[in-house]
Amino acid sequence: MPMTVVRRRRGVFPRLRKRMRNSFLFVPFAGLLIGWVLAAVVVRADSLIHDLDARWTGVDLSGLWFLRTAADFGSAARTAVAAVSSAMLTFIGVVFSITLVALQMAAGRFSPRVLRIYVESRVTKLTLGTFLCTFLYTLRGQKEYGSAGEGGDAVVPYLGSSLAMGFLLLSLALFVVYVHSTIRLMRVTYVMDRVCQESLRLIRDSAGPARAAAGDAGERGADPGGTTVGHVWRPGVLQAVDVPRLVALAARDGLVLHLVPRIGDYLVPHAPLFRVTGGPAPSDADLQAALELGVERTTEQDLAFGIRQLADIASRALSPAVNDPTTAVQALDRIQVLLTAFARQPLGRAYHRDADGAVRLVETLPSWPELLDLGLTEVRDYGIGSVQITRRIAACLDDLERLAPPDRREPVRRHRDLLEEAVHTTAATPQRAAFALQPDRQGIG
C-alpha cells in the first residue's frame, strides 16, 4: 500500500477563517460598524471646522477648498447626502433580490452542492457591506447635520458630503462588479471550472512523496486492530482533520491513531472513529479538538468532493426534465482532468509521521477504483441513451488507460467493459452501437 505524507496548509486560525468565509454576517455587520463610526468622526470634524470658522471670523480661510461656507453649498450638500441615503436602500434591495435568484438557480439548475460558491463569494459580501456602510453613514449624517452649530446655524457638511460622494462612487463601481460576478456564477461552465480548479489545488497541496509501492484497492475495509474509540459528539460531516495536532497527541503518548472514517463521511453517534494501538486512547476532548464537523462536505480536505460535484451537475443535466447532454459532456471534461491528476497520485492510505519518523496517524484516502466509479458510473448510467455521453466516456477511458500506470489500468478496462455492455444492451443495431462507442472528446463534434 502507498505510504504518503499529506501536507495540508491550513494557515493561521483556520476555523475562524472558515466560519467567516461561510457566513454572510461578518462583512455586512462590519460595514454597519464602519458606517456608524465614520459618521461620528466626520460629523465631529465638520463641527470643529464650523466652530473654528465661527470663532475666528477675522481669519481669512476662504482659500481652503473645504471651507466654502456659502449657504447654497450647505443646502445642496445636505440634499445630496439625503439622496444618497435613499438610493442606498433601493440598491440593498436589488442586491438582496439578485442574490436570492442566483441561489435558487444554482440549486435548481446545477446542484445544491455548489451553493457554497455563492455563499463564499467575496464580491457579494463586500458589495452588501459597502452598501450598508454607505446607507448608515448617510442616514446618521442626514440627522446630525440638521443640528445647529455654535453660531446657531446648521453645520455645513464639508467633509461629510465629500465622503458620501466617494461612498456613492465606490458603491456604483462595486454594483457593476457584483452584477458581472453574479452573471458569471450563473454560467455552468464557470461553476464547473471553479470546482475543478479548487480540486486541483487540493490535490497539489495534499500530495506527498510515496514511501512504498503496493496496490491501493480495498484499503478502506482494513482492520488495524487495537482499541476502538467511538464517535460520542454531535452527528455531522467530517470536514477536516488537524493532522499536526493528532500527530503531536499520538507522539506524546507513544500511540498510533488510525482514523476510521474518511474526510466527507457523515459521522453518527457511536460509530467507530479511531482505532488506537500502542497504548490507552486519548481523551475524547483531545480527539474532538482535532476534528471539524459540519452540515455538508467542503473542498478544504475532501479529495473526492470535486468529482462528486461535477458528477451531480452532469447527472442533473441528463435528467429527463433538463435533457442537456452537452452540459454533461462539459462536466466529463473536468472529471477527466481530475482523474488524470489522481492517476499517478499515491492513494488508499496516508501515513503521517512525527519528527522522529515514526508513523503516528493513518488516514484512509479514496482509492483509484473508487474515484473512477464516482466520476463515471452515474454519468454512464443516466446518459447511456445519449450518443454524446457514450462517445465522450469512451474518449476519456482511452486517455486514462494511456496515462495511468500499468497497475491502475485494470479498473479503467473494467469501466470500458461496462460501457460496451450497456451500449450493446440499449442500441437497436450493431451499427448504432459501434457509432456510440467511437471515442470523441466533444461527444459529437
Side-chain angles (χ1 to χ4, degrees):
M1 88 188 84
M3 301 180 75
T4 65
V5 176
V6 178
R7 297 179 175 89
R8 287 164 179 156
R9 300 174 299 203
R10 306 193 65 206
V12 182
F13 303 115
R15 297 192 181 187
L16 177 60
R17 291 188 294 106
K18 183 177 179 180
R19 291 180 180 178
M20 291 171 56
R21 185 174 63 249
N22 295 329
S23 174
F24 251 99
L25 298 177
F26 178 79
V27 176
F29 274 120
L32 290 173
L33 179 61
I34 293 173
W36 183 266
V37 173
L38 274 179
V41 172
V42 172
V43 169
R44 179 59 179 166
D46 278 331
S47 298
L48 292 175
I49 294 174
H50 178 85
D51 295 343
L52 182 66
D53 189 37
R55 292 178 182 179
W56 294 1
T57 55
V59 180
D60 185 13
L61 301 176
S62 59
L64 299 179
W65 66 271
F66 55 84
L67 292 180
R68 293 176 294 168
T69 57
D72 55 343
F73 175 81
S75 176
R78 295 186 191 93
T79 303
V81 171
V84 172
S85 178
S86 301
M88 283 301 104
L89 189 60
T90 303
F91 267 114
I92 292 172
V94 171
V95 171
F96 184 72
S97 301
I98 294 177
T99 302
L100 287 183
V101 171
L103 291 174
Q104 291 175 350
M105 287 188 61
R109 182 182 176 186
F110 305 149
S111 168
R113 259 66 62 189
V114 303
L115 285 181
R116 58 174 186 82
I117 297 178
Y118 296 80
V119 175
E120 295 175 1
S121 173
R122 294 188 180 95
V123 174
T124 301
K125 297 175 183 177
L126 183 60
T127 302
L128 185 58
T130 302
F131 284 4
L132 290 173
C133 175
T134 305
F135 173 70
L136 189 59
Y137 167 80
T138 53
L139 186 64
R140 184 176 181 185
Q142 184 180 2
K143 171 184 177 296
E144 297 293 341
Y145 285 120
S147 59
E150 181 177 304
D153 53 340
V155 176
V156 178
Y158 297 116
L159 300 178
S161 59
S162 300
L163 190 57
M165 292 300 104
F167 272 132
L168 178 61
L169 293 176
L170 178 61
S171 299
L172 291 175
L174 282 176
F175 182 72
V176 174
V177 175
Y178 167 75
V179 172
H180 170 73
S181 175
T182 304
I183 290 176
R184 284 205 308 172
L185 288 177
M186 290 181 179
R187 296 169 54 190
V188 65
T189 51
Y190 176 81
V191 173
M192 290 190 294
D193 273 343
R194 175 81 172 268
V195 172
C196 185
Q197 292 303 319
E198 289 177 347
S199 298
L200 288 175
R201 191 180 308 115
L202 176 61
I203 295 171
R204 182 178 62 252
D205 294 344
S206 298
R211 303 299 185 186
D216 59 357
E219 294 295 335
R220 190 176 174 90
D223 186 0
T227 304
T228 301
V229 177
H231 179 60
V232 296
W233 315 301
R234 63 179 177 86
V237 177
L238 181 59
Q239 295 179 337
V241 175
D242 192 339
V243 172
R245 183 189 286 252
L246 286 176
V247 170
L249 179 64
R252 183 194 66 186
D253 299 332
L255 308 174
V256 179
L257 300 176
H258 300 258
L259 183 63
V260 178
R262 201 164 65 191
I263 302 294
D265 286 357
Y266 190 85
L267 303 183
V268 298
H270 309 297
L273 185 60
F274 284 97
R275 294 288 179 88
V276 183
T277 58
S283 66
D284 291 339
D286 289 337
L287 295 176
Q288 182 181 12
L291 304 180
E292 292 186 25
L293 273 63
V295 297
E296 61 181 355
R297 296 171 69 175
T298 67
T299 57
E300 184 179 1
Q301 293 185 1
D302 195 341
L303 292 172
F305 187 46
I307 297 180
R308 174 74 274 167
Q309 295 175 84
L310 293 171
D312 284 349
I313 294 175
S315 299
R316 189 174 292 266
L318 293 172
S319 66
V322 179
N323 194 23
D324 184 10
T326 302
T327 296
V329 168
Q330 293 173 335
L332 281 170
D333 294 338
R334 279 77 177 179
I335 290 174
Q336 180 177 340
V337 170
L338 298 184
L339 290 176
T340 302
F342 278 119
R344 296 184 178 275
Q345 292 290 346
L347 298 169
R349 290 291 180 94
Y351 289 74
H352 306 276
R353 301 173 180 271
D354 59 15
D356 298 328
V359 174
R360 295 302 179 187
L361 175 64
V362 182
E363 179 186 358
T364 304
L365 301 179
S367 66
W368 173 244
E370 288 175 330
L371 292 172
L372 278 176
D373 294 342
L374 176 61
L376 300 178
T377 301
E378 293 178 351
V379 183
R380 181 190 66 241
D381 290 345
Y382 294 139
I384 195 61
S386 172
V387 177
Q388 282 197 71
I389 302 302
T390 57
R391 289 162 64 97
R392 182 63 186 90
I393 293 179
C396 175
L397 293 174
D398 280 352
D399 293 337
L400 291 176
E401 187 171 3
R402 176 174 52 86
L403 296 173
D407 60 336
R408 290 188 175 180
R409 291 174 183 171
E410 180 57 34
V412 180
R413 298 189 188 101
R414 176 173 60 86
H415 272 276
R416 185 184 302 278
D417 294 339
L418 291 173
L419 177 65
E420 293 177 355
E421 177 185 353
V423 169
H424 285 294
T425 301
T426 57
T429 62
Q431 292 80 6
R432 290 186 179 182
F435 180 75
L437 290 173
Q438 183 178 349
D440 189 341
R441 291 188 177 88
Q442 296 185 12
I444 304 181

